[in-house]
Amino acid sequence: MIPIAQPAIGEEEIRAVTDVLRSGNLVQGDKVKEFEQAFARLVGTKYAVAVNSGTAALHIALLAHGIGNGDEVITSPFSFIATANSVLFTGAKPVFADIEEETFNISAGGILGRIGPETKAIMPVHLYGQPCDMEKIMEIAGEHNLAVIEDACQAHGASFKGSMVGSFGTGCFSFYATKNMVTGEGGMITTDNEEIADKARMLRNQGQKERYLHKLLGYNYRMTDIAAAIGLVQLKKLPEFIKKRQENANYLSGKLKVDGITTPSVASGCEHVFHLYTVRVTDECRIGRDELARRLNEKGIGAGIYYPLPIHKQPLYSRTGFGDSLPVSEKLSGEVLSLPVHPQVSRGDLDFMVDVVMEACR
Ligand SMILES: *Cc1c(COP(=O)(O)O)cnc(C)c1O
């Protein structure tokens, strides 16, 4: 079986964990601080605040920007559910703008069409590891005085015109077991804004400014030192992981030349880190997307559909009046298919995938 995602954990991570266990310092200690500093260096921000999931990072980033009841946040319907749910957690309303057909990312024109008097923030998602058009998004945010909270949970190390994702607005990352770098569960908030960083630190730890002095309604979103120790090793390996993913993606795009398959495009100025390698399967492919996914799975290739139902069509959202039509998202959810490109996928695996897809579509 070639899984769609596979954590690359080696002896170094195992040693780092046992060192933490022996130290007796298990939560939000020196390893967490060290990981925060190293991650801030990667992204190029002054501050990084570690939390225990990407969802927690998104929730806290919104709260730190003062978003809550009555506010609206414009985001992508073509994402993992946690993106929009984090907005609901705060009492604000997610407002969905449609995506671009070429990049699967939220469209700047779509954002403009959704801005209203209650809009407080834009939450772009760098989907599959490809940065959104941050030039246009930052321009819109500046003109309309909106906060930007980047969902970079799939895009560690991706950059737009030379700047890392997570450095434009307030960045949110996940280190869940399937991501490009992992700590098991874990997350990070990145920012240059000291006030946002301070507030995020309080919110992740029961609203404490100092011990047992609670200024805000906070949460237990603390990261363990066990997770941070794994993260420090993974962060060192990230450039090598990304390079391997890009090589695998380029190899597939060079070989998958058949009617009915559109390989992913990389927008100009973007460094795409290929958290997912996602093709579009259209009618010219003989057996169709769902049948192709089944065929691949039968042959031991962990192809997956991300995501089969856009968020505004999910039962949780469609029930409560978020379900207006977003035609590009709805069309693409019926066409997308992701193939494994993680660092442990071999050249032989890639050739096998190509053979199965070409044979099935012809
Ligand atoms: C994984 C992911 C999240 C949530 O991260 P968790 O660590 O699982 O909470 C949010 N948004 C996107 C786009 C993701 O891929």
Side-chain angles (χ1 to χ4, degrees), residues 320-360:
T320 46
F322 297 93
D324 38 343
S325 167
L326 296 162
V328 183
S329 301
E330 285 157 35
K331 180 174 83 165
L332 292 185
S333 63
E335 294 182 355
V336 288
L337 182 69
S338 304
L339 298 169
V341 291
H342 59 75
Q344 284 119 300
V345 174
S346 70
R347 191 50 65 88
D349 296 336
L350 297 172
D351 285 329
F352 181 50
M353 285 176 224
V354 170
D355 287 346
V356 175
V357 173
M358 302 284 268
E359 151 99 32

Side-chain angles (χ1 to χ4, degrees), residues 52-58 78-84 125-128 151-155 172-179 184-187 275-276 307:
N52 56 14
S53 74
T55 309
L58 292 164
F78 203 66
S79 181
F80 180 53
I81 193 85
T83 308
V125 182
H126 306 299
L127 199 74
Y128 306 146
D151 183 338
C153 289
Q154 301 188 356
C172 298
F173 294 84
S174 164
F175 309 116
Y176 177 62
T178 60
K179 309 293 186 187
E185 297 277 11
H275 170 62
L276 288 167
Y307 295 87

Side-chain angles (χ1 to χ4, degrees), residues 238-250 341-347 350:
L238 181 66
E240 186 192 313
F241 290 162
I242 292 172
K243 188 160 161 270
K244 197 74 211 298
R245 284 176 180 276
Q246 290 170 333
E247 280 168 12
N248 287 345
N250 290 338
V341 291
H342 59 75
Q344 284 119 300
V345 174
S346 70
R347 191 50 65 88
L350 297 172

Side-chain angles (χ1 to χ4, degrees), residues 111-169:
I111 294 171
L112 275 173
R114 297 284 166 158
I115 294 175
E118 312 308 330
T119 309
K120 291 288 165 358
I122 307 170
M123 188 183 260
V125 182
H126 306 299
L127 199 74
Y128 306 146
Q130 165 137 264
C132 296
D133 186 337
M134 292 314 292
E135 204 162 72
K136 285 202 191 128
I137 290 171
M138 295 313 289
E139 195 181 300
I140 293 169
E143 272 166 21
H144 297 267
N145 194 25
L146 305 173
V148 175
I149 292 149
E150 301 175 64
D151 183 338
C153 289
Q154 301 188 356
H156 326 65
S159 61
F160 177 82
K161 299 201 171 160
S163 297
M164 288 281 173
V165 301
S167 71
F168 294 89

Side-chain angles (χ1 to χ4, degrees), residues 92-328:
K93 181 184 177 187
V95 173
F96 299 110
D98 214 351
I99 58 170
E100 301 171 340
E101 193 153 337
E102 299 73 32
T103 64
F104 311 101
N105 280 333
I106 194 166
S107 96
I111 294 171
L112 275 173
R114 297 284 166 158
I115 294 175
E118 312 308 330
T119 309
K120 291 288 165 358
I122 307 170
M123 188 183 260
V125 182
H126 306 299
L127 199 74
Y128 306 146
Q130 165 137 264
C132 296
D133 186 337
M134 292 314 292
E135 204 162 72
K136 285 202 191 128
I137 290 171
M138 295 313 289
E139 195 181 300
I140 293 169
E143 272 166 21
H144 297 267
N145 194 25
L146 305 173
V148 175
I149 292 149
E150 301 175 64
D151 183 338
C153 289
Q154 301 188 356
H156 326 65
S159 61
F160 177 82
K161 299 201 171 160
S163 297
M164 288 281 173
V165 301
S167 71
F168 294 89
T170 298
C172 298
F173 294 84
S174 164
F175 309 116
Y176 177 62
T178 60
K179 309 293 186 187
N180 284 16
M181 59 174 285
V182 308
T183 64
E185 297 277 11
M188 194 74 81
I189 298 157
T190 53
T191 179
D192 279 330
N193 183 321
E194 188 176 8
E195 201 182 317
I196 296 290
D198 277 349
K199 221 162 152 195
R201 281 193 204 100
M202 279 194 263
L203 286 163
R204 76 171 163 187
N205 190 20
Q206 311 287 9
Q208 300 188 96
K209 176 79 184 168
E210 50 196 271
R211 202 152 186 215
Y212 301 132
L213 182 68
H214 305 273
K215 291 194 151 181
L216 299 168
L217 176 63
Y219 300 82
N220 172 5
Y221 283 166
R222 294 180 300 257
M223 180 180 269
T224 66
D225 277 44
I226 301 162
I230 302 170
L232 276 163
V233 180
Q234 290 271 299
L235 190 57
K236 271 199 311 195
K237 297 179 176 175
L238 181 66
E240 186 192 313
F241 290 162
I242 292 172
K243 188 160 161 270
K244 197 74 211 298
R245 284 176 180 276
Q246 290 170 333
E247 280 168 12
N248 287 345
N250 290 338
Y251 187 79
L252 283 179
S253 289
K255 297 267 173 180
L256 284 172
K257 300 216 183 285
V258 60
D259 286 347
I261 298 289
T262 310
T263 55
S265 60
V266 180
S268 104
C270 284
E271 169 125 18
H272 189 326
V273 294
F274 289 100
H275 170 62
L276 288 167
Y277 177 87
T278 304
V279 301
R280 291 170 58 189
V281 187
T282 47
D283 288 344
E284 302 85 72
C285 171
R286 186 172 44 85
I287 67 170
R289 195 270 312 265
D290 291 348
E291 194 50 41
L292 177 57
R294 250 193 306 279
R295 178 83 57 94
L296 285 158
N297 292 340
E298 266 168 27
K299 306 245 181 203
I301 301 161
I305 295 166
Y306 303 90
Y307 295 87
L309 199 58
I311 298 176
H312 66 292
K313 292 287 179 193
Q314 293 288 342
L316 170 68
Y317 284 81
S318 60
R319 254 191 285 119
T320 46
F322 297 93
D324 38 343
S325 167
L326 296 162
V328 183

